Amino acid sequence: EAAASPVLRAVMQPQYDVPGDWAPAPDPADSFVKPGDTRSPDANESQRQAVCALSCALEKIQGPPGTGKSTTIYHIITQRVPPGARVLITCSRNVAIESIAQKLEACNAEILVVGAPGRIGATARKHLLDTKTEAHPRVRAMAAASLGGFGSPAALEAAASVKGQLMEGCQLILCTIA
């Protein structure tokens, strides 16, 4: 049975490559960090080469812990993803989601994390849908005006009405399989 989209087909049949819609690659000899930028992690030579070599819509970054995968992902987002594009980043470990979330906060893009609140780190928890929903001004106003707080029918209705809008506004979606 054929997959609904070329990217889904690439996931289901890894031998199938879908060309990516990447922004032009920077010169791998150049630093990816702008002068005076203290929030962005620097990229080493192999990370810069990996960022510049992207060609498919579905790419896999793998390696042992501590080898710079989250820094590479950060630079893929900042250097090669076209403005306004949505990105799904999946990881097999919750600690990886936390590391990537910490770095991606410097991008000033809307981040959505899908994961178990008790298993992910503090930075990633700030980007959970429930956290974003409870922080939404309309939900907070309804909770404050109701005796039941966030559990009141008015607050729950307001929360349900803003979730779709919050999800649609997220450019970077991080999730874990753990």
Side-chain angles (χ1 to χ4, degrees):
E1 183 176 319
S5 76
V7 174
L8 183 57
R9 186 171 21 178
V11 171
M12 305 286 281
Q13 303 168 345
Q15 71 277 6
Y16 180 77
D17 290 333
V18 177
D21 184 22
W22 299 107
D27 185 338
D30 293 342
S31 172
F32 290 172
V33 179
K34 293 177 176 70
D37 182 353
T38 58
R39 293 181 63 188
S40 300
D42 201 7
N44 64 33
E45 183 180 349
S46 70
Q47 291 165 332
R48 290 192 305 270
Q49 288 175 352
V51 169
C52 293
L54 297 173
S55 62
C56 298
L58 178 67
E59 295 281 354
K60 182 178 183 179
I61 308 293
Q62 66 181 20
T67 56
K69 294 176 297 296
S70 61
T71 297
T72 303
I73 291 167
Y74 170 84
H75 287 294
I76 289 170
I77 303 296
T78 61
Q79 299 295 319
R80 300 295 308 278
V81 172
R86 295 180 92 186
V87 178
L88 172 64
I89 302 161
T90 62
C91 299
S92 61
R93 297 178 44 91
N94 292 304
V95 70
I97 291 292
E98 176 66 12
S99 177
I100 294 168
Q102 289 172 353
K103 288 176 175 68
L104 290 177
E105 281 193 328
C107 293
N108 296 320
E110 283 297 318
I111 301 169
L112 176 65
V113 172
V114 179
R119 299 175 108 183
I120 59 175
T123 302
R125 271 195 304 277
K126 291 189 307 189
H127 300 286
L128 288 168
L129 182 58
D130 286 345
T131 305
K132 289 175 170 286
T133 302
E134 287 182 6
H136 192 279
R138 188 167 13 153
V139 175
R140 292 181 67 76
M142 290 296 182
S146 302
L147 290 176
F150 286 108
S152 70
L156 292 172
E157 183 179 323
S161 72
V162 301
K163 283 187 177 185
Q165 168 191 357
L166 289 170
M167 288 188 290
E168 283 295 319
C170 290
Q171 177 188 6
L172 308 173
I173 303 164
L174 285 69
C175 63
T176 181
I177 60 172

